């Protein structure tokens, strides 16, 4: 979600971000999920992670919460829930190369997985993959997040 919010801040539509994640195989896009969880909860989680990982808090998320744009529970978040048009793309966005986009979107997850291996939070890649599959719903048909030791050396 953090990376998705950062991409949204750069001008990529919520619909494109969510569509890319769903086409990759996730059941729901990260910004739709954020709206469903509540942006106030996402901000609280981001504050904790920002402290732990030295991240900056997305200013847009803080502003949305301050305006009480909390997602589905208030009718406004990354999407407006009075007139839901999820996944409607702007013509320019259709030209974006989606493989590069999803690689960019998944990069923080990959880096965190590598850190978990490096710091021995997880014993091996099989357990890491099981955690991703069962813990966060990583699409099983996509195979492993980390391909091989040669391609992803921790």
């Amino acid at each position: 979600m953090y990376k998705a919010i950062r991409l949204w801040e750069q001008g990529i539509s919520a619909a494109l971000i969510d569509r890319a994640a769903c086409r990759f195989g996730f059941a729901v896009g990260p910004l739709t999920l954020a709206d469903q969880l509540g942006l106030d909860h996402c901000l609280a989680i981001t504050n904790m992670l920002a402290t732990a990982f030295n991240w900056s808090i997305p200013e847009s998320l803080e502003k949305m919460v301050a305006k009480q744009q909390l997602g589905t529970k208030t009718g406004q978040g990354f999407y407006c829930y009075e007139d839901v048009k999820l996944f409607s793309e702007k013509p320019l966005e259709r030209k974006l190369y989606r493989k590069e986009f999803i690689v960019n979107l998944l990069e923080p997850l990959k880096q965190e997985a590598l850190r978990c291996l490096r710091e021995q939070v997880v014993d091996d890649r099989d357990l890491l993959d099981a955690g991703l599959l069962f813990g966060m719903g990583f699409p099983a048909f996509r195979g492993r997040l980390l391909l091989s030791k040669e391609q992803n050396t921790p």
Side-chain angles (χ1 to χ4, degrees):
M1 282 186 220
Y2 181 82
K3 183 64 172 186
I5 292 168
R6 290 300 191 191
L7 290 169
W8 181 77
E9 287 178 330
Q10 294 171 18
I12 306 291
S13 76
L16 180 62
I17 294 165
D18 282 351
R19 178 174 282 167
C22 289
R23 283 185 177 166
F24 183 75
F26 286 102
V28 66
L31 298 178
T32 297
L33 181 59
D35 274 355
Q36 291 171 351
L37 290 172
L39 300 185
D40 50 341
H41 297 296
C42 291
L43 180 59
I45 293 165
T46 302
N47 281 323
M48 287 185 280
L49 293 173
T51 302
F53 298 114
N54 198 25
W55 290 351
S56 60
I57 307 296
E59 188 176 321
S60 61
L61 185 58
E62 291 179 317
K63 286 180 180 179
M64 292 169 79
V65 170
K67 291 180 185 177
Q68 291 298 299
Q69 296 174 341
L70 307 179
T72 56
K73 62 184 167 184
T74 62
Q76 179 65 49
F78 291 102
Y79 296 97
C80 176
Y81 293 93
E82 295 170 10
D83 182 20
V84 179
K85 290 184 180 176
L86 302 179
F87 303 133
S88 59
E89 294 180 43
K90 298 174 188 170
L92 176 63
E93 292 174 338
R94 291 187 189 112
K95 297 178 182 178
L96 291 176
Y97 186 56
R98 295 187 198 284
K99 183 175 181 183
E100 280 183 17
F101 184 76
I102 198 69
V103 166
N104 187 345
L105 193 61
L106 291 174
E107 185 60 26
L109 181 61
K110 180 180 171 183
Q111 292 305 315
E112 184 62 16
L114 288 168
R115 188 186 68 76
C116 286
L117 286 171
R118 193 172 42 250
E119 295 178 8
Q120 298 179 337
V121 173
V122 155
D123 289 336
D124 58 44
R125 290 170 189 273
D126 292 334
L127 289 174
L128 178 72
D129 287 334
L132 290 169
L133 178 66
F134 298 115
M136 69 163 286
F138 190 84
F141 72 91
R142 289 292 178 183
R144 296 173 171 263
L145 175 66
L146 303 178
L147 302 175
S148 69
K149 288 185 180 181
E150 295 77 35
Q151 291 170 305
N152 301 304
T153 305

